[in-house]
Amino acid sequence: MQKNIPIIAGNWKMNGSPKQGAALADEIDKYIKTNKIKAEIIVFPPFTLLDEVAKKLAKSSIKLGAQNCAEHDSGAYTGEIAAPMLKDAGCEYVIIGHSERRQHFKESNEIIRNKVSRAHENNLKVILCVGEILDERELGKEYEVVGEQILNSLPSSTNSENTLIAYEPVWAIGTGKNAGQEEIGEMHSFINELVDDNFKNIKESIKILYGGSVKSSNAIHIIAARHVAGFLVGGASLDAEEFCKIIEIAVKKW
Ligand code: PGA
């Protein structure tokens, strides 16, 4: 990971064909090259698009990542994709513990920690997602929940080179709602201190991205919050023009 540049990650979720993915990657790449953008840009297509997008990005500074990986490296785990396979497919990153995995696929902190370990062992950089649901925030439990997620889902191999954290309040994902600048800054500062205090391999502060309805219309406020190293963008990353606008804002305001 390069220092002192913003990180803008696009989580494409379960969308698109290989052809569409390659076209989207190509548009972003053209924008990056034309405007000599200095940022770490990462795209996270679904598994079946990885090969085509990897080919398209072979001569690009844009990094490739996957949206999930298995708890095991190989074996009788029907339907799973292992970290070494992602490496073979050209991935440098993997998202682990997204709230949609936690909610819909019942992934526990323990499962997530195993996945992060497999990713680290296979030299994949991890974006670990954490965030509270609305009920938890309304009960004032957001720090407790996020703290527990971090302490229980990061293995001791975690360091600032192999791991990024994405704070994504679940109530802000895909809803158009955003946490305020102050709320984001406070949570990111809390995460920063918690990680510094609890992981002995952390020499430099871990980078923390914000995610949840990030758009070109709110990016400027979010990037200005404390300890925000960039964005994890969902819906808006499927539109090349909108995603490139978000990149432009992050770079200008950095
Ligand atoms: P969203 O998704 O930008 O569509 O809210 C963010 C995410 O789930 O990573």
Side-chain angles (χ1 to χ4, degrees), residues 11 13 98 100 168 172-175 211-214 232-236:
N11 173 10
K13 305 197 181 185
H98 191 281
E100 287 152 17
E168 301 201 301
I173 296 178
T175 58
S213 298
V214 174
L232 178 54
V233 187

mmCIF file of all heavy atoms in Angstrom, residues 11 13 98 100 168 172-175 211-214 232-236, ligand 1:
data_model
loop_
_atom_site.group_PDB
_atom_site.id
_atom_site.type_symbol
_atom_site.label_atom_id
_atom_site.label_comp_id
_atom_site.label_asym_id
_atom_site.label_seq_id
_atom_site.Cartn_x
_atom_site.Cartn_y
_atom_site.Cartn_z
ATOM 1 N N ASN A 11 -16.935 -1.754 -4.532
ATOM 2 C CA ASN A 11 -17.503 -3.087 -4.287
ATOM 3 C C ASN A 11 -18.692 -3.267 -5.228
ATOM 4 O O ASN A 11 -19.747 -2.676 -5.024
ATOM 5 C CB ASN A 11 -17.939 -3.164 -2.812
ATOM 6 C CG ASN A 11 -18.689 -4.437 -2.484
ATOM 7 O OD1 ASN A 11 -18.735 -5.364 -3.290
ATOM 8 N ND2 ASN A 11 -19.286 -4.484 -1.294
ATOM 9 N N LYS A 13 -20.453 -5.824 -5.729
ATOM 10 C CA LYS A 13 -21.449 -6.781 -5.201
ATOM 11 C C LYS A 13 -21.821 -7.810 -6.286
ATOM 12 O O LYS A 13 -20.972 -8.144 -7.102
ATOM 13 C CB LYS A 13 -22.658 -6.033 -4.634
ATOM 14 C CG LYS A 13 -22.211 -5.003 -3.579
ATOM 15 C CD LYS A 13 -23.296 -4.502 -2.692
ATOM 16 C CE LYS A 13 -22.700 -3.473 -1.722
ATOM 17 N NZ LYS A 13 -23.658 -3.005 -0.735
ATOM 18 N N HIS A 98 -17.993 -8.344 5.243
ATOM 19 C CA HIS A 98 -18.981 -7.338 4.843
ATOM 20 C C HIS A 98 -20.289 -7.604 5.601
ATOM 21 O O HIS A 98 -20.637 -8.753 5.852
ATOM 22 C CB HIS A 98 -19.205 -7.404 3.331
ATOM 23 C CG HIS A 98 -19.992 -6.248 2.814
ATOM 24 N ND1 HIS A 98 -21.366 -6.198 2.935
ATOM 25 C CD2 HIS A 98 -19.609 -5.092 2.220
ATOM 26 C CE1 HIS A 98 -21.784 -5.047 2.419
ATOM 27 N NE2 HIS A 98 -20.744 -4.356 1.979
ATOM 28 N N GLU A 100 -23.213 -7.646 4.647
ATOM 29 C CA GLU A 100 -24.136 -8.539 3.929
ATOM 30 C C GLU A 100 -23.753 -10.003 4.153
ATOM 31 O O GLU A 100 -24.613 -10.880 4.184
ATOM 32 C CB GLU A 100 -24.167 -8.164 2.442
ATOM 33 C CG GLU A 100 -24.932 -6.856 2.241
ATOM 34 C CD GLU A 100 -24.522 -6.027 1.051
ATOM 35 O OE1 GLU A 100 -23.850 -6.528 0.140
ATOM 36 O OE2 GLU A 100 -24.890 -4.824 1.039
ATOM 37 N N GLU A 168 -18.478 0.693 8.083
ATOM 38 C CA GLU A 168 -19.698 0.845 7.286
ATOM 39 C C GLU A 168 -20.901 0.663 8.203
ATOM 40 O O GLU A 168 -21.305 -0.474 8.473
ATOM 41 C CB GLU A 168 -19.750 -0.216 6.186
ATOM 42 C CG GLU A 168 -18.587 -0.177 5.225
ATOM 43 C CD GLU A 168 -18.911 -0.861 3.922
ATOM 44 O OE1 GLU A 168 -19.236 -2.060 3.918
ATOM 45 O OE2 GLU A 168 -18.870 -0.191 2.889
ATOM 46 N N ALA A 172 -26.481 2.656 6.890
ATOM 47 C CA ALA A 172 -26.125 3.607 5.832
ATOM 48 C C ALA A 172 -25.861 2.907 4.499
ATOM 49 O O ALA A 172 -25.679 3.566 3.479
ATOM 50 C CB ALA A 172 -24.892 4.411 6.245
ATOM 51 N N ILE A 173 -25.830 1.568 4.516
ATOM 52 C CA ILE A 173 -25.486 0.846 3.276
ATOM 53 C C ILE A 173 -26.697 0.742 2.361
ATOM 54 O O ILE A 173 -27.724 0.188 2.746
ATOM 55 C CB ILE A 173 -24.927 -0.560 3.598
ATOM 56 C CG1 ILE A 173 -23.607 -0.429 4.369
ATOM 57 C CG2 ILE A 173 -24.736 -1.375 2.329
ATOM 58 C CD1 ILE A 173 -22.996 -1.750 4.780
ATOM 59 N N GLY A 174 -26.568 1.313 1.180
ATOM 60 C CA GLY A 174 -27.613 1.218 0.167
ATOM 61 C C GLY A 174 -28.889 1.955 0.525
ATOM 62 O O GLY A 174 -29.929 1.748 -0.094
ATOM 63 N N THR A 175 -28.847 2.818 1.525
ATOM 64 C CA THR A 175 -30.066 3.486 1.995
ATOM 65 C C THR A 175 -30.088 4.970 1.639
ATOM 66 O O THR A 175 -31.106 5.623 1.828
ATOM 67 C CB THR A 175 -30.165 3.402 3.532
ATOM 68 O OG1 THR A 175 -28.984 4.010 4.091
ATOM 69 C CG2 THR A 175 -30.262 1.971 4.008
ATOM 70 N N GLY A 211 -17.598 3.564 4.483
ATOM 71 C CA GLY A 211 -18.515 3.053 3.463
ATOM 72 C C GLY A 211 -19.951 3.171 3.908
ATOM 73 O O GLY A 211 -20.249 3.159 5.111
ATOM 74 N N GLY A 212 -20.843 3.273 2.939
ATOM 75 C CA GLY A 212 -22.275 3.398 3.217
ATOM 76 C C GLY A 212 -22.826 4.598 2.491
ATOM 77 O O GLY A 212 -22.668 5.721 2.954
ATOM 78 N N SER A 213 -23.431 4.341 1.308
ATOM 79 C CA SER A 213 -24.050 5.408 0.501
ATOM 80 C C SER A 213 -23.098 6.551 0.158
ATOM 81 O O SER A 213 -23.512 7.710 0.120
ATOM 82 C CB SER A 213 -25.307 5.960 1.199
ATOM 83 O OG SER A 213 -26.270 4.946 1.343
ATOM 84 N N VAL A 214 -21.825 6.219 -0.085
ATOM 85 C CA VAL A 214 -20.891 7.266 -0.528
ATOM 86 C C VAL A 214 -21.225 7.615 -1.983
ATOM 87 O O VAL A 214 -21.398 6.733 -2.827
ATOM 88 C CB VAL A 214 -19.414 6.808 -0.412
ATOM 89 C CG1 VAL A 214 -18.482 7.854 -1.014
ATOM 90 C CG2 VAL A 214 -19.052 6.525 1.039
ATOM 91 N N LEU A 232 -15.064 2.974 0.780
ATOM 92 C CA LEU A 232 -15.508 1.725 0.168
ATOM 93 C C LEU A 232 -16.893 2.036 -0.411
ATOM 94 O O LEU A 232 -17.839 2.287 0.324
ATOM 95 C CB LEU A 232 -15.576 0.595 1.213
ATOM 96 C CG LEU A 232 -16.070 -0.761 0.704
ATOM 97 C CD1 LEU A 232 -15.273 -1.260 -0.492
ATOM 98 C CD2 LEU A 232 -16.010 -1.819 1.814
ATOM 99 N N VAL A 233 -16.954 2.055 -1.735
ATOM 100 C CA VAL A 233 -18.156 2.503 -2.438
ATOM 101 C C VAL A 233 -18.896 1.295 -3.006
ATOM 102 O O VAL A 233 -18.286 0.463 -3.673
ATOM 103 C CB VAL A 233 -17.767 3.454 -3.610
ATOM 104 C CG1 VAL A 233 -19.010 4.052 -4.245
ATOM 105 C CG2 VAL A 233 -16.806 4.545 -3.144
ATOM 106 N N GLY A 234 -20.192 1.207 -2.750
ATOM 107 C CA GLY A 234 -20.989 0.114 -3.309
ATOM 108 C C GLY A 234 -21.687 0.561 -4.579
ATOM 109 O O GLY A 234 -21.065 0.691 -5.638
ATOM 110 N N GLY A 235 -22.978 0.852 -4.459
ATOM 111 C CA GLY A 235 -23.814 1.197 -5.613
ATOM 112 C C GLY A 235 -23.184 2.180 -6.590
ATOM 113 O O GLY A 235 -23.207 1.955 -7.805
ATOM 114 N N ALA A 236 -22.597 3.245 -6.054
ATOM 115 C CA ALA A 236 -22.054 4.299 -6.928
ATOM 116 C C ALA A 236 -20.815 3.845 -7.704
ATOM 117 O O ALA A 236 -20.399 4.518 -8.655
ATOM 118 C CB ALA A 236 -21.730 5.544 -6.097
HETATM 119 P P1 PGA B 1 -23.335 1.394 -0.781
HETATM 120 O O1 PGA B 1 -22.551 0.068 -0.316
HETATM 121 O O2 PGA B 1 -22.305 2.398 -1.200
HETATM 122 O O3 PGA B 1 -24.200 0.939 -1.914
HETATM 123 O O4 PGA B 1 -24.115 1.868 0.391
HETATM 124 C C1 PGA B 1 -21.371 0.138 0.412
HETATM 125 C C2 PGA B 1 -20.893 -1.255 0.722
HETATM 126 O O5 PGA B 1 -21.733 -2.115 0.967
HETATM 127 O O6 PGA B 1 -19.675 -1.532 0.723
#
